[in-house]
Amino acid sequence: FFFLMIRRPPRSTQSRSSAASDVYKRQVSTQSTWGDYKYELKYLMRDKEQALVEHKPVSPRTTYLRWVFLGLACFILFGNYYSFDNPQALQDAYEKEMGMQDLQFNVLYSVYSIPNTILPLIGGYIIDCLGVRVGIFVFSVIIAIGQGVFTIGSYWKSYQVMIAGRVIFGLGGECLTVAQSAIVPMWFLGKELALAMGFNLTVARGGSSLNSFVTPWVYNETGSLGHPAFISFILCLVSIISGLLTNLLDLKADEAEGKKDKKALSDTDRVSMKDIRYFPSSFWALVGLCIFIYGAFFPFMNIANKFLIKRFGFDEKEAGKLLMIVYLSSAVFSPPIGILVDNIGHRVKLMLFSYIFLFTAHIYCAIVPNSDEPNYWAILPLCCIGIFYSIFVTIIWPSIALIVDTKYLGTAYGLTTAVQNSGMALFPLIVGYLHDTFIDDGKAGYFWVSIFLIVMAIFGFLFTVLLLFFEIKSDGPLEKVQKITIDEEEPIKSVSLQES
């Protein structure tokens, strides 16, 4: 049954990578029958038999090695995600041992986002110059160097060195994600690609979840700020090795297929600011809600460990375990939410529904009294945040590909990421300032922080309502089901996109 779920790509005049990009970025659902699978298996076996008869090497992209490739590719981002959340897991410890205030701590996150207000706009050109494989290696090394510098700063308890490390880390973070996302679709098509990208996100977020558990535990066992950061550095080195092995497999696949050109980004992945004149109103509403929703989520996650300590009475270790709930909720709920969206559409309405969970979480955090003993009602807002994030992330990024023409997707994604990081550079500073200013508010300084996050959620909700208005007015695609119909006579050669 699992083998039958492996999809054969449509044959067309497009290149393999272009077809993969089109199918994936439109996040369509394929309506298949047993007859379709018989045709696809026939073509799959025909290609392999023809290669054997002609004594041509079989591309690893058509064998089980593509799953080995996927496993290695997933760990390219594992060290990145683990290290990004490294400071959050020990916020209280950093502030006590180094005499930081919340504003100073949140600068560690803002300086990561500052370079990425520009890099997503030029990252495509950088990767075009280097090639995707070289880009994966270079950006992985930059991330490891940044985490290495941050580790040294943690051992020395030097705030300035830690800031320098986070800046270097930010120079590679977003560009590595772009490069890794560009190489995976070369190996998977159709529903296989959706599975591959979903598994990729799950493993990457697993890094964030593991950090929340391991980092406080290592600190409690060793009493050192440097040892947890050093483990993050080791994982960044593991990601470099995974990237090298991924590149080796990709190079072998290109050689088997007779490709010798440097692998670069496709035209749809490049950024050109001239493209913005073609963007519909729905896109700008979507960018607006993206800014504020990320502003209601990530600033909270950046301080969540200390928040659980001060407001709910947990220690660092227990708080880290509880924070795994957010990422595990995302891993559990994202696949069924994706299936639901593929089958019923109504993407904007589902996003509006998800605000119930976001408002519940932040309002509860604002009004619940402080506790000196562990208060396990903290699980409620964490579950709500996790469910909200699952719905939001599953819908928001694929929606861009539905409302923007394929040839402008590079600009659309680059612009959205750059604007999002502009907010992520500012909002953590506001959160830190509010905490330090109102430290004696009776809520350990977090009442006005929660109010700020609620305001961010309100603005996000208003932009989502505006998006729904634009979609209804223009009869847009976000509320519709996207399907692929396959010609029964030539299922491989004829594929068309329909809306229903």
Side-chain angles (χ1 to χ4, degrees):
F1 175 77
F2 178 78
F3 180 72
L4 292 179
M5 292 303 293
I6 299 176
R7 304 289 297 157
R8 178 73 172 109
R11 294 182 179 275
S12 70
T13 56
Q14 292 179 300
S15 67
R16 177 183 177 92
S17 61
S18 176
S21 179
D22 288 350
V23 173
Y24 167 63
K25 289 176 179 174
R26 289 187 178 275
Q27 295 288 304
V28 296
S29 64
T30 306
Q31 307 300 310
S32 305
T33 65
W34 167 247
D36 299 334
Y37 286 118
K38 288 195 298 182
Y39 276 113
E40 295 181 356
L41 291 172
K42 180 183 73 174
Y43 280 102
L44 180 62
M45 298 306 298
R46 186 193 65 184
D47 286 353
K48 289 187 176 181
E49 291 171 0
Q50 183 177 355
L52 292 173
V53 170
E54 297 176 2
H55 303 290
K56 293 181 179 179
V58 177
S59 171
R61 294 190 177 103
T62 64
T63 71
Y64 71 92
L65 284 176
R66 67 187 183 280
W67 301 109
V68 176
F69 172 88
L70 177 62
L72 293 170
C74 289
F75 278 92
I76 293 175
L77 297 179
F78 190 86
N80 181 12
Y81 275 70
Y82 185 100
S83 301
F84 175 81
D85 285 321
N86 203 222
Q88 165 269 126
L90 293 179
Q91 179 183 359
D92 196 50
Y94 274 114
E95 293 184 359
K96 286 179 179 178
E97 293 199 23
M98 299 181 61
M100 290 186 194
Q101 293 183 322
D102 264 37
L103 179 58
Q104 291 174 300
F105 176 82
N106 281 313
V107 170
L108 293 173
Y109 284 95
S110 291
V111 295
Y112 171 91
S113 295
I114 289 173
N116 290 303
T117 61
I118 302 297
L119 284 177
L121 300 176
I122 63 175
Y125 294 106
I126 296 174
I127 296 174
D128 275 343
C129 294
L130 298 176
V132 174
R133 286 191 291 259
V134 176
I136 287 175
F137 174 73
V138 170
F139 295 127
S140 296
V141 170
I142 291 174
I143 287 173
I145 292 173
Q147 183 60 29
V149 173
F150 180 82
T151 300
I152 293 172
S154 297
Y155 276 118
W156 292 353
K157 297 183 181 179
S158 170
Y159 181 68
Q160 290 75 16
V161 175
M162 291 167 62
I163 290 293
R166 293 293 284 184
V167 172
I168 298 171
F169 186 86
L171 293 174
E174 298 295 331
C175 289
L176 178 64
T177 301
V178 172
Q180 193 259 13
S181 298
I183 200 171
V184 171
M186 310 295 181
W187 286 69
F188 297 91
L189 293 174
K191 284 189 174 179
E192 273 195 353
L193 182 57
L195 171 64
M197 299 306 287
F199 185 70
N200 181 53
L201 179 60
T202 298
V203 173
R205 278 299 172 195
S208 299
S209 181
L210 187 64
N211 167 72
S212 296
F213 173 76
V214 172
T215 297
W217 178 80
V218 173
Y219 174 75
N220 287 336
E221 293 294 319
T222 64
S224 169
L225 293 174
H227 289 348
F230 181 73
I231 291 177
S232 297
F233 173 69
I234 295 298
L235 289 175
C236 289
L237 296 182
V238 171
S239 292
I240 293 176
I241 296 172
S242 296
L244 290 173
L245 294 175
T246 299
N247 287 343
L248 179 61
L249 274 177
D250 192 66
L251 180 62
K252 293 296 183 183
D254 278 358
E255 291 176 352
E257 296 172 9
K259 299 177 183 178
K260 297 182 180 180
D261 295 333
K262 178 177 69 174
K263 189 181 294 294
L265 290 179
S266 65
D267 291 337
T268 60
D269 292 320
R270 297 189 179 98
V271 176
S272 173
M273 296 311 294
K274 295 179 181 179
D275 295 342
I276 63 175
R277 65 182 184 272
Y278 301 111
F279 294 166
S281 300
S282 294
F283 171 78
W284 300 108
L286 193 145
V287 170
L289 75 90
C290 188
I291 295 171
F292 290 109
I293 291 308
Y294 273 97
F297 176 79
F298 278 109
F300 173 79
M301 294 304 298
N302 294 347
I303 63 169
N305 190 278
K306 184 181 177 182
F307 186 91
L308 292 175
I309 294 171
K310 298 297 184 182
R311 296 280 279 119
F312 291 94
F314 296 99
D315 59 23
E316 285 93 345
K317 188 176 180 180
E318 291 299 318
K321 291 180 180 178
L322 287 177
L323 282 179
M324 294 178 68
I325 292 174
V326 176
Y327 300 114
L328 291 177
S329 298
S330 177
V332 170
F333 289 108
S334 291
I337 290 171
I339 295 172
L340 178 67
V341 170
D342 283 343
N343 284 278
I344 71 170
H346 299 293
R347 293 166 179 81
V348 185
K349 292 186 180 72
L350 282 172
M351 283 195 287
L352 288 172
F353 170 75
S354 71
Y355 283 95
I356 295 174
F357 300 99
L358 184 62
F359 283 121
T360 298
H362 287 319
I363 292 173
Y364 180 82
C365 289
I367 64 177
V368 67
N370 291 344
S371 175
D372 295 328
E373 299 293 330
N375 179 3
Y376 285 94
W377 279 102
I379 294 175
L380 172 64
L382 294 178
C383 286
C384 287
I385 288 283
I387 295 171
F388 163 79
Y389 186 67
S390 302
I391 298 174
F392 179 75
V393 172
T394 302
I395 295 175
I396 187 75
W397 294 104
S399 294
I400 295 176
L402 290 175
I403 61 179
V404 175
D405 193 282
T406 302
K407 59 185 175 183
Y408 306 128
L409 281 178
T411 303
Y413 280 113
L415 181 61
T416 304
T417 304
V419 174
Q420 169 208 327
N421 275 282
S422 299
M424 291 302 95
L426 175 63
F427 296 149
L429 300 180
I430 296 175
V431 166
Y433 172 79
L434 289 173
H435 176 270
D436 294 341
T437 303
F438 300 100
I439 189 67
D440 298 322
D441 62 0
K443 303 288 186 180
Y446 289 109
F447 175 76
W448 288 106
V449 169
S450 295
I451 295 299
F452 172 75
L453 297 176
I454 292 171
V455 171
M456 292 294 98
I458 290 173
F459 277 109
F461 178 82
L462 294 176
F463 271 100
T464 308
V465 172
L466 184 63
L467 175 62
L468 181 61
F469 170 77
F470 287 141
E471 284 295 294
I472 294 175
K473 182 180 179 180
S474 63
D475 192 29
L478 296 186
E479 293 298 284
K480 301 174 181 178
V481 178
Q482 305 296 321
K483 296 180 180 179
I484 291 179
T485 59
I486 305 179
D487 189 326
E488 292 188 0
E489 295 299 323
E490 293 289 343
I492 308 302
K493 297 181 180 179
S494 177
V495 178
S496 61
L497 182 68
Q498 291 186 347
E499 296 175 350
S500 66

